[in-house]
């Protein structure tokens, strides 16, 4: 994984304005139409600059990138300001509705927690087995 801060030649605590100015300055210098050297190199470098800028300009993408980059460069998963590690943050982000979906509404939650439901289910299963053994 490339270090987008080094690519844009900025510090990790740079503001959005500093990121934008660094991007504009480097693109205007290395754009394939302007760059005097190798055009293929200029195209690849400009694509890398664009990727870095698009990641760092969006606060949510930047936070995810920082967490991923730090997790990859450290032996242990880094802690976020809230005290959670990278995996906890990402699971909350992508599965924030999973808990809500699995709970169901109140009736079914109570039904599946009741002993009566499982007793009736067990009796029904035994009846099905008896019918299968007698008539098959």
């Amino acid at each position: 994984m490339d270090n987008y801060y080094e690519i844009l030649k900025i510090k990790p605590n740079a503001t959005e304005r500093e990121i934008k100015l660094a991007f504009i300055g480097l693109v205007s210098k290395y754009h394939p139409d302007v760059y005097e050297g190798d055009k293929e190199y200029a195209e690849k470098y400009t694509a890398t600059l664009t990727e870095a800028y698009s990641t760092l300009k969006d606060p949510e993408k930047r936070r995810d990138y920082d967490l991923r980059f730090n997790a990859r460069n450290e032996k242990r998963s880094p802690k976020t300001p809230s005290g959670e590690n990278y995996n906890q943050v990402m699971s909350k982000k992508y599965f924030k509705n999973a808990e809500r979906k699995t709970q169901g509404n109140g009736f079914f939650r109570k039904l599946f927690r009741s002993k009566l439901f499982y007793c009736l289910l067990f009796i029904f299963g035994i009846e099905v087995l008896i019918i299968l053994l007698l008539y098959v």
Side-chain angles (χ1 to χ4, degrees):
M1 174 183 283
D2 296 330
N3 186 347
Y4 291 157
Y5 295 107
E6 288 180 4
I7 291 171
L8 290 174
K9 300 176 183 172
I10 57 175
K11 295 180 181 178
N13 59 354
T15 64
E16 291 181 27
R17 185 169 189 273
E18 291 171 340
I19 294 170
K20 185 175 183 177
L21 290 175
F23 172 71
I24 291 171
L26 289 170
V27 166
S28 64
K29 183 177 179 182
Y30 288 101
H31 194 274
D33 295 338
V34 178
Y35 189 65
E36 296 292 326
D38 185 17
K39 299 292 182 186
E40 188 176 323
Y41 168 76
E43 289 174 4
K44 288 180 183 177
Y45 190 67
T46 305
T48 306
L49 287 171
T50 306
E51 179 184 351
Y53 177 67
S54 66
T55 301
L56 296 180
K57 74 176 181 177
D58 183 19
E60 189 172 320
K61 286 182 184 178
R62 183 177 180 179
R63 182 178 54 87
D64 292 344
Y65 168 77
D66 289 340
L67 288 171
R68 270 197 327 260
F69 188 76
N70 291 335
R72 187 175 178 142
N73 290 331
E74 292 181 6
K75 298 217 184 257
R76 58 182 176 74
S77 184
K79 297 289 184 183
T80 60
S82 62
E84 301 169 320
N85 65 20
Y86 171 71
N87 295 330
Q88 291 170 334
V89 171
M90 295 310 287
S91 65
K92 279 185 181 178
K93 177 180 176 187
Y94 291 110
F95 301 109
K96 61 184 168 187
N97 294 325
E99 184 179 332
R100 197 175 323 138
K101 289 178 183 176
T102 57
Q103 286 178 352
N105 61 22
F107 172 75
F108 288 108
R109 193 176 332 139
K110 289 177 185 175
L111 177 68
F112 292 131
R113 288 183 182 172
S114 70
K115 291 180 182 177
L116 177 64
F117 172 76
Y118 289 105
C119 291
L120 293 173
L121 189 65
F122 178 74
I123 292 170
F124 177 74
I126 289 177
E127 288 178 357
V128 169
L129 284 175
I130 291 172
I131 291 171
L132 285 174
L133 289 174
L134 291 177
Y135 294 107
V136 174

